Structure formats: C-alpha cells, structure tokens
Amino acid sequence: DNSTGAGSLGWSYGVSNSEIDFLGENDQLVLTYTVAIDDQNGGTDTQDVVITVNGTNDAPIIDSPAQAATVTESADTNPDADPAVEAGTISFDDVDLSDAHVASHDGGTVTTVTLANGLTLTPAQETAILAAFSIDPSVA
C-alpha cells in the first residue's frame, strides 16, 4: 500500500510426498529460505522462513509373489544322501532409506497332516520338520 508504506507477500512450500518418502521415522530436514524485501532505494530487510520436514515410518512392502514349495522324500537308505531342499526369495521395497531391515519368522505351524493308517506326528517329528526352515536374517 503506497499510502502507508505497508505491504505483505505470501509464501508457500509444497513438496510431493514421493520426493520426501526416503525420510524414515525420526528423520528430519530443516530448510531455511531467506526472504529479502528491497525498497529499490538502497534499503533492504530479510527474514528467514524455516520449514521442518519430519519423516514417518513407511512400512516395507513385500512385492514378491506368494512363496510355496514342494519337497519329496528320497527313497535312499542313507537319509543324508539326497536331502530334500527347496529355496526361494522374498523381495520387498521400503522407501525409508534410513531403515535397517531384519528378517524373522514365527517358527512355523504344521497346518495339515495326512498320514496313512491314522498315524500322527510325534512332537519330536513335528519339531524336527519345523526346524528345517531357515532364513538369512541379514537382509540384502
């Protein structure tokens, strides 16, 4: 306003979420913009606008297909001669670059047992069968 010499200007900060998704929980960026007002006659003044961008935890997303495998017992007389082995890979994405991922599993559950003559697994057999599953906890 020329009659009073007063004026104002607005400011805004808008960033696409995809540009800051890399921030994890407790990550923070502090941005400082110094705004200057110049009267074009040698007089200036400045004021900082400080924007704090706080990260959040974006959970990892498993993006590999469901994992399943079938193993068949070997008819060998020596049980270790031809072990039944299957393997797979679970892949995931996490946009939080500061996350350190660790994998774990729940120990497994025998969900279906079909044995001839009404037989059932002994607790020792069930424990041994479930213990055959392993993961590499150091996620690549």
Side-chain angles (χ1 to χ4, degrees), residues 63-83:
D63 53 14
S64 56
Q67 304 289 303
T70 301
V71 286
T72 302
E73 170 196 14
S74 173
D76 296 340
T77 55
N78 179 354
D80 294 327
D82 188 19

Side-chain angles (χ1 to χ4, degrees), residues 1 4 9-10 24 39 47 50 52 63-64 81-83 91 99-101 103 105 112 118 124 137:
D1 182 349
T4 64
L9 63 111
D39 69 4
Q47 184 177 62
V50 178
T52 302
D63 53 14
S64 56
D82 188 19
S91 58
D99 286 353
H101 300 97
H105 69 85
T112 304

Side-chain angles (χ1 to χ4, degrees), residues 59-67 87-94 101 103 135-136 139-140:
I61 298 171
I62 294 176
D63 53 14
S64 56
Q67 304 289 303
T89 301
I90 296 175
S91 58
F92 66 93
D93 289 305
D94 188 346
H101 300 97
I135 60 172
D136 179 0
V139 178

Side-chain angles (χ1 to χ4, degrees), residues 2-138:
N2 285 338
S3 64
T4 64
S8 65
L9 63 111
W11 65 268
S12 69
Y13 179 81
V15 63
S16 170
N17 191 52
S18 64
E19 298 295 325
I20 56 174
D21 260 346
F22 69 91
L23 294 170
E25 188 169 5
N26 299 319
D27 288 348
Q28 186 178 76
L29 296 175
V30 177
L31 313 171
T32 303
Y33 297 88
T34 301
V35 178
I37 303 294
D38 186 332
D39 69 4
Q40 301 294 303
N41 289 307
T44 61
D45 198 7
T46 61
Q47 184 177 62
D48 289 344
V49 176
V50 178
I51 312 275
T52 302
V53 181
N54 292 316
T56 60
N57 182 36
D58 295 292
I61 298 171
I62 294 176
D63 53 14
S64 56
Q67 304 289 303
T70 301
V71 286
T72 302
E73 170 196 14
S74 173
D76 296 340
T77 55
N78 179 354
D80 294 327
D82 188 19
V85 176
E86 287 289 331
T89 301
I90 296 175
S91 58
F92 66 93
D93 289 305
D94 188 346
V95 295
D96 294 339
L97 299 181
S98 61
D99 286 353
H101 300 97
V102 176
S104 64
H105 69 85
D106 67 357
T109 304
V110 176
T111 53
T112 304
V113 178
T114 306
L115 301 175
N117 303 318
L119 297 175
T120 60
L121 293 175
T122 67
Q125 288 170 320
E126 186 171 321
T127 298
I129 290 168
L130 290 173
F133 182 79
S134 66
I135 60 172
D136 179 0
S138 61

